[in-house]
Amino acid sequence: MRRHHCPVELAVDVIGGKWRPVILAHLKEGVHRYGELRRRMPAVSEKMLVQRLRELEADGLVERHDHGTNPPHVEYRLTEEGRSLAPVLQALYDWGAARAARTGTPIVDPAPPPASRS
């Protein structure tokens, strides 16, 4: 097990990177199929999305449910541990929205989230 010297270091180690927090934020809204996540994150490659989902699953933050059908029907949802990140993810979302407003940075959302379910 890796040693951390600060709680923030541990948190960033678990949810850091470009795509992990974004995936978690989308799953905070509820259960999503792989294709839904791809549509919500058009800039991420399929390979990267699969890798990050597997990492989040291995870290105990995301649960993958395969319905065993053909064509495949796989859903992703936050685990209880993942749901414990909801306030952190909401704070990041709120800060990002406020920053965008302050700086005039456009946010192009291919699939706007429903009302917050914090």
Side-chain angles (χ1 to χ4, degrees):
M1 183 171 287
R2 183 168 174 222
R3 284 181 89 162
H4 297 90
H5 303 283
C6 170
V8 173
E9 183 182 355
L10 171 61
V12 170
D13 193 36
V14 174
I15 67 165
K18 183 173 181 177
W19 297 113
R20 284 172 155 233
V22 176
I23 294 166
L24 292 167
H26 287 304
L27 292 177
K28 177 182 157 290
E29 300 166 10
V31 176
H32 288 297
R33 292 181 68 177
Y34 175 82
E36 292 172 316
L37 289 171
R38 280 286 291 138
R39 281 189 293 282
R40 289 173 175 265
M41 302 169 58
V44 68
S45 70
E46 287 192 37
K47 178 183 176 184
M48 184 65 65
L49 180 57
V50 168
Q51 285 176 343
R52 296 302 164 256
L53 284 166
R54 286 182 182 156
E55 291 169 0
L56 290 166
E57 186 178 5
D59 287 338
L61 300 176
V62 170
E63 176 181 80
R64 179 182 188 271
H65 181 69
D66 186 345
H67 291 269
T69 60
N70 193 9
H73 182 123
V74 178
E75 295 176 332
Y76 294 90
R77 65 180 45 91
L78 294 180
T79 62
E80 186 174 334
E81 183 73 8
R83 286 189 300 276
S84 73
L85 284 165
V88 175
L89 297 167
Q90 190 63 49
L92 284 171
Y93 181 92
D94 294 344
W95 185 87
R99 167 84 177 173
R102 284 191 304 273
T103 62
T105 303
I107 303 291
V108 179
D109 193 351
S116 173
R117 294 186 211 168
S118 301

